[in-house]
Amino acid sequence: MRPLALNALLGLLALALFLASLAVGPAELGPSESVRGLLAGGSEAAAVIMREIRLPRAILGLAIGFTLGISGAVLQGFLRNPLAEPGIIGVSAMAAFGAVAAFYTGLAGSTLYALPAGALIGALLAVLLLLALAARSGSTLTLILAGVALSSLSGALTSLVLNLSPNPFASYEIIFWLLGSLKDRSIEHVWLALPLMAGGWLLIALSARAIDALSLGEEAAASLGIHMARTRLLIVVGVALGVGAATAVAGTIGFVGLVVPHLIRPLTNRLPSRLLLPAGLGGAALLLAADVAARVVLPAGELNVGVLTALIGAPFFLWLVVRSRREVF
Amino acid sequence: MPSKPGWRGGLLKALYRTSIASFTLALSCLSAIAEPARVMSLNLCTDQLAMALAAPGQLISISFLSRDPMLSPLSEKATAYPINHGRAEEVFLERPNLVVTGTYSLQNTTPLLKRLGFRVEEFSFVQTLDTIPGEIRRMGALLGREERAEALARSFETELADIESRRCEARPTALAYEQAGVALGRGTLADSVLAAAGFRNLASEAGIEGMAPFPLELIVEQKPDIIITRAGEEDAPSLGARVPHHPALRAFSGTRIGPFVPRGAWSCGGPFVIQAVKALAALREEIAPCGEAR
């Protein structure tokens, strides 16, 4: 498919799901009431519901999905590893631990800024650790196993910190950090995370030419004039910013970055750089769809969106492992 | 033969009454014979009843939760007693004559203690304002302090009846909003406190039994006059505590949001709940004075 057509198609899909996300919620607002509430006029209740509750949620679904999709695509291209993804290699889990450690210990008071600050540090540490490992051993398996270890460790530490909190209700929030959710997010969260995520997208976009050259191998890339250290820095900081900010406001949402690049890659010319934008748009569409489903399936209690992405993604992961068994092991 | 539900119900009721009466009689005989000298309380709520009723030196230990100012209205008084963590070993070492605890807490400890031969009395904490005088009297009977219990229960009943008699047509709407957007509905202590103070509980009207999530969007639609949040969470942050401070709730005018109820005042069905009823009744009088409604 031509890149322009592909991007337009995925963009329209994401837009449609963005509108669907605005239309779904426990308050049964009609279409015209919703539009009036969102833009101007309408009742006070409709305006507040649309602008303060549903709009921030839809924006976060879009932006976080985009971040996870583009991060998965760039990691798969850069590491030349079909199974690389922020969730599987432990970046999301470390970001969640960082956010939990900074927020619940009350070190920074109860300010929301503690969340992204902690999450960025966690994500950065995870990416640096994994790149150091990947540099030593090129095997796909090493990276995935290290990711499994890192995820388990940070999941356990997250639970530990929440259980140790003097607030008896903090331990109920373990599920949010392990299987994220977009429930009851507000415009504050959007301002907190969106600028950081946008910074991440920019850095990842700047690395596009380098990851194309890298698909020919490191030596070939160097002979094409690609600066390895600079590329690595762009990707490390870009992924850490994006995934860190996303996790800080929505918890760990897994598998979006794994599934989407694989589904879309056959529709591109297989150059890693050409995959970045479509993977971002596809990620946004997938997360928005999952978030709509989370509200429709269990209207009263609401499902964690991380449960749905894992239900879709984990079998897909298994299938990828089985299919590529020969290359991987 | 056609069934006669009325007749059967009457018989059951009579049986029930006699059994209750004989049970109370047995209890009072028992306590007259042996007034337990060493009593241990393993539950925050039995702590409150026991501290209010026990004779000096009779209560030898209370649960550690009673010292937590976030949960316990009597946290200062609690520092005067040794504490336990509800472990069977602690009970075993102290050798109490009576252990009081909640049915809901420590499900494994209670059977173990009974097997070890301790006398364990359990208090149910699925309760409302109506059950509290009964709980006070029961604890009084167990501790051999019937007179004090009777006085306390009487004053509770009088104060409650007094507040209830001042209710009127004006019934503002309220929502008891706990952590993470969970509201307290029908059958909860909070629901009966709201009713006694003259409020309509929106969660009960929405059909919520016990505790269940109450979506933000529905709050915005229904605009309660007051939203009661949990008091005292500044020291230990959690995301759930931020839900009642969502900008959507601040965006519309006319709703008061705050703790309103003294710390821990309605976490347990004990004599202290009357403070919650008083505070809310005063608030109701301020929002919707009875004179104007008429």
Side-chain angles (χ1 to χ4, degrees):
Chain A
M1 202 184 282
R2 295 170 63 95
L4 189 65
L6 179 66
N7 284 329
L9 196 70
L10 288 167
L12 281 176
L13 183 66
L15 181 68
L17 286 159
F18 182 83
L19 295 176
S21 176
L22 284 176
V24 174
E28 281 156 15
L29 302 177
S32 71
E33 208 182 349
S34 310
V35 174
R36 268 187 291 141
L38 193 61
L39 301 176
S43 65
E44 191 194 12
V48 171
I49 289 173
M50 294 308 295
R51 291 182 202 163
E52 302 287 345
I53 299 177
R54 293 197 191 165
L55 185 63
R57 182 174 192 151
I59 292 175
L60 284 176
L62 187 81
I64 292 171
F66 192 92
T67 303
L68 295 174
I70 199 174
S71 301
V74 78
L75 286 173
Q76 286 172 17
F78 179 64
L79 298 168
R80 279 164 284 159
N81 183 333
L83 303 180
E85 191 255 344
I88 291 171
I89 64 176
V91 179
S92 300
M94 275 289 278
F97 169 58
V100 165
F103 182 70
Y104 290 86
T105 49
L107 288 179
S110 62
T111 164
L112 274 184
Y113 294 105
L115 291 172
L120 290 187
I121 294 172
L124 198 62
L125 284 178
V127 183
L128 287 175
L129 189 73
L130 291 163
L131 283 195
L133 263 173
R136 277 190 163 191
S137 135
S139 144
T140 308
L141 192 61
T142 314
L143 186 73
I144 301 305
L145 290 180
V148 169
L150 206 56
S151 291
S152 312
L153 179 68
S154 30
L157 289 172
T158 300
S159 306
L160 182 70
V161 170
L162 290 172
N163 273 318
L164 287 179
S165 162
N167 188 325
F169 297 93
S171 55
Y172 295 125
E173 284 163 19
I174 292 175
I175 181 161
F176 167 79
W177 289 107
L178 299 185
L179 292 162
S181 165
L182 290 171
K183 188 178 179 231
D184 298 344
R185 304 292 96 180
S186 70
I187 207 80
E188 289 172 348
H189 294 97
V190 174
W191 292 127
L192 211 60
L194 190 59
L196 296 171
M197 287 193 276
W201 305 338
L202 187 71
L203 293 181
I204 291 172
L206 289 177
S207 72
R209 207 174 68 87
I211 53 170
D212 278 351
L214 267 173
S215 61
L216 306 170
E218 280 189 27
E219 280 171 24
S223 71
L224 285 172
I226 299 301
H227 198 302
M228 265 314 272
R230 181 176 162 274
T231 308
R232 196 175 289 130
L233 189 70
L234 282 175
I235 292 174
V236 167
V237 179
V239 169
L241 270 179
V243 176
T247 310
V249 295
T252 308
I253 296 173
F255 298 106
V256 174
L258 178 76
V259 175
V260 172
H262 279 283
L263 289 182
I264 291 173
R265 191 170 289 119
L267 305 176
T268 67
N269 60 5
R270 293 182 184 270
L271 268 182
S273 67
R274 289 288 165 81
L275 183 61
L276 294 179
L277 183 59
L281 293 171
L286 177 63
L287 187 58
L288 284 167
D291 188 42
V292 168
R295 277 175 282 176
V296 174
V297 175
L298 252 182
E302 191 169 306
L303 213 55
N304 274 46
V305 72
V307 174
L308 286 175
T309 58
L311 281 177
I312 302 166
F316 187 84
F317 181 46
L318 208 58
W319 175 72
L320 272 182
V321 170
V322 172
R323 197 193 63 168
S324 59
R325 199 171 40 181
R326 246 181 240 139
E327 318 157 27
V328 176
F329 293 101
Chain B
M1 199 179 135
S3 65
K4 293 178 184 172
W7 175 81
R8 207 179 267 174
L11 183 72
L12 273 179
K13 226 176 241 172
L15 265 176
Y16 180 68
R17 276 206 203 109
T18 27
S19 62
I20 289 282
S22 51
F23 178 66
T24 333
L25 193 71
L27 269 185
S28 52
C29 288
L30 203 70
S31 58
I33 299 162
E35 182 175 301
R38 295 169 63 77
V39 178
M40 239 177 129
S41 168
L42 308 186
N43 175 288
L44 176 68
C45 297
T46 50
D47 289 348
Q48 289 180 18
L49 286 173
M51 277 193 276
L53 295 173
Q58 188 182 23
L59 184 61
I60 57 165
S61 147
I62 57 175
S63 86
F64 71 105
L65 292 173
S66 276
R67 285 196 184 170
D68 185 342
M70 249 170 79
L71 298 170
S72 164
L74 301 175
S75 56
E76 278 183 25
K77 196 178 174 190
T79 52
Y81 295 89
I83 52 168
N84 66 65
H85 295 80
R87 298 190 193 109
E89 287 182 27
E90 293 170 307
V91 178
F92 194 74
L93 290 173
E94 291 289 336
R95 298 266 163 202
N97 311 108
L98 171 67
V99 176
V100 286
T101 186
T103 44
Y104 189 64
S105 53
L106 310 169
Q107 283 143 340
N108 295 319
T109 313
T110 307
L112 177 63
L113 288 175
K114 285 183 175 165
R115 212 164 54 235
L116 290 172
F118 287 99
R119 180 172 169 220
V120 183
E121 290 292 338
E122 293 170 86
F123 282 72
S124 157
F125 288 100
V126 184
Q127 51 179 220
T128 57
L129 281 177
D130 309 337
T131 62
I132 291 172
E135 300 285 341
I136 296 174
R137 292 194 176 98
R138 182 177 162 216
M139 182 64 89
L142 287 172
L143 299 179
R145 302 274 289 168
E146 289 88 347
E147 273 176 39
R148 182 157 166 73
E150 187 55 40
L152 205 60
R154 279 273 167 77
S155 94
F156 185 89
E157 285 165 338
T158 333
E159 281 194 273
L160 184 61
D162 181 45
I163 295 171
E164 284 180 332
S165 71
R166 277 185 270 141
R167 285 181 297 189
C168 57
E169 290 300 304
R171 300 230 303 143
T173 52
L175 191 70
Y177 214 36
E178 284 280 306
Q179 286 263 353
V182 166
L184 301 172
R186 245 179 266 152
T188 59
L189 183 60
D191 183 55
S192 69
V193 170
L194 284 172
F199 282 100
R200 283 167 52 204
N201 184 359
L202 284 181
S204 301
E205 289 178 9
I208 290 180
E209 295 280 343
M211 294 169 78
F214 199 90
L216 275 179
E217 292 189 6
L218 295 187
I219 302 184
V220 174
E221 264 194 339
Q222 303 186 3
K223 290 186 192 165
D225 293 306
I226 64 164
I227 297 175
I228 305 159
T229 58
R230 209 165 219 287
E233 278 167 337
E234 302 77 27
D235 336 326
S238 75
L239 292 180
R242 303 191 66 93
V243 173
H245 306 289
H246 193 285
L249 297 184
R250 274 187 265 134
F252 59 91
S253 44
T255 295
R256 298 197 192 191
I257 306 173
F260 301 126
V261 172
R263 276 186 179 206
W266 62 11
S267 53
C268 278
F272 203 79
V273 180
I274 203 75
Q275 304 299 336
V277 186
K278 279 184 188 165
L280 288 178
L283 182 66
R284 206 259 310 136
E285 184 60 31
E286 190 189 321
I287 295 175
C290 279
E292 284 178 21
R294 276 169 200 170

